[in-house]
Amino acid sequence: MFKSMSALFLKDIKSELRTRYSINSLAMFIIVTISVILFSVGNEKLTPFMAGGMFWVIVFFTAMSGLSRAFVSEEERGTTMTLQLIANPDTILGGKMLYNMVLIFSMNIVTFLLYTAVFDSFIIKNPDIFFLVFSLGNIGMAVSSTIIAAIISKAGSKGTLYPVLSFPILLPLMLMLIDLTKLCMDGTTFADTQIEIFFLLCYDVLMMTASFLLFDFIWKD
Amino acid sequence: MVKKIFLYVLLAVVSIVGIGFPIVKNPVNWYEYPLIPGLEENAKIIFFHVPTSWLTVIAFFMSTYFSIKYLRKKNIIDDAKAYTSAQLGMIFCILATVTGAVWAKFAWGSFWSWDPRQTSIFAILLIYGALFALRSAIEDEQKRATLSAVYSSIAFVTVPFFIFIMPRIMKGLHPGSADDSTAGPLVNFKMNGNMQVVFYLSLLGFTLLYAWMWDIGYRSYLLKEKIEKSEKKD
């Protein structure tokens, strides 16, 4: 199963590298959002907490702009039926999730680097805890957005519906991430953030389980 | 008929008793509520606000239960049941939000202050909204039922975070929050005998009201679908 999952993942990467549609639009989206924030802030200095919260706003909207491609592109190219024939649903979901995870990780690392370069007040005092939080958050975001993308692709690829459906699902994750980023910027110890990190872990595991359980129903129609 | 009269009498009694009975410092008579420092007359919201928020959650549970049942059996009646429950849940959710916000203006000083429970109810409102947006986007009946059932099951996974975990680990203004010294669930906090009786009666009355509305709602939804189908055939 893992073999076919990675085959599917490589297929997605290959077809992405051929057109570079997602990568280009995501990169442009990140640059555009950061510059819009820069324009609106002007010469004012952002407070550290605000900078921490704003970071996740950029991440959320970038994710919303690009991650639905995973399933929508299959519908657009008319390759859904072929996929249904050659692989079982769990493999497909696994492969797509992996692809989205790689996409979101690379996208967020770029956002993070750009953001730290541009905003002076965005200083993380606990890089190790922040890295853990960042990774768990990315995994959670990739998992939730993949399953919502699957729903969207079956609902006639309505683009505007994607953020509407994703936001309530991602909200607990986003709230915790914003909270934890503030704690990391304050420089709290690991013991103080334990509960929140455990919360993130719970979210990731629960979402992944629910996705694998429910994907069958979306996929077979 | 008897059921309806019983429900009517129950809700009438709860409304009159809940609003009308006085709050005094040292209750002697059976009809007097005790004074809760800092809340005074505002304490009476408990008889109406808590049942509506309780029903918001119950309606959501019911909706998810029938969604899962639909996914297992593919029976369109279960979809109608889930949908009607979500509709009622949305109504109770709006009621809970509005009563809470109005009350908060007088007790906490502002309509909205992003207390964890306010965040939760807002998120549930968004989930309901998204569910209806999804339903209206799909034409095909089977597909609509399946996709909305899947979505409400996924949304259900996030609900425990909102309702049970976040309000308890984050600082907030509601009883039972992380920094609340009184601790414990809302019902036990300095509520004496008669207040508890009225509270539970109100809970019962609202729940019965929900059950009745839900029963009528899903049957009328099914009839509507049937009529629309037969009109299409002609």
Side-chain angles (χ1 to χ4, degrees), chain B residues 11-58:
Chain B
L11 281 175
V13 165
V14 166
S15 319
I16 294 166
V17 166
I19 299 172
F21 282 7
I23 288 181
V24 292
K25 223 168 204 163
N26 298 308
V28 212
N29 298 314
W30 57 272
Y31 55 80
E32 286 164 339
Y33 300 133
L35 185 89
I36 298 167
L39 286 179
E40 282 105 36
E41 288 288 321
N42 293 340
K44 285 175 179 174
I45 191 171
I46 194 173
F47 302 129
F48 308 101
H49 175 65
V50 178
T52 46
S53 13
W54 149 265
L55 277 177
T56 308
V57 180
I58 290 294

Side-chain angles (χ1 to χ4, degrees), chain A residues 1-14:
Chain A
M1 181 183 158
F2 284 101
K3 213 175 153 193
S4 46
M5 216 158 94
S6 59
L8 194 75
F9 168 69
L10 286 177
K11 171 229 137 207
D12 272 339
I13 293 279
K14 248 183 215 163

Side-chain angles (χ1 to χ4, degrees), chain A residues 50-69:
Chain A
M50 223 159 138
M54 205 84 97
F55 173 69
W56 290 106
V57 174
I58 300 177
V59 167
F60 174 74
F61 280 105
T62 322
M64 286 306 99
S65 75
L67 291 185
S68 66
R69 294 290 307 160

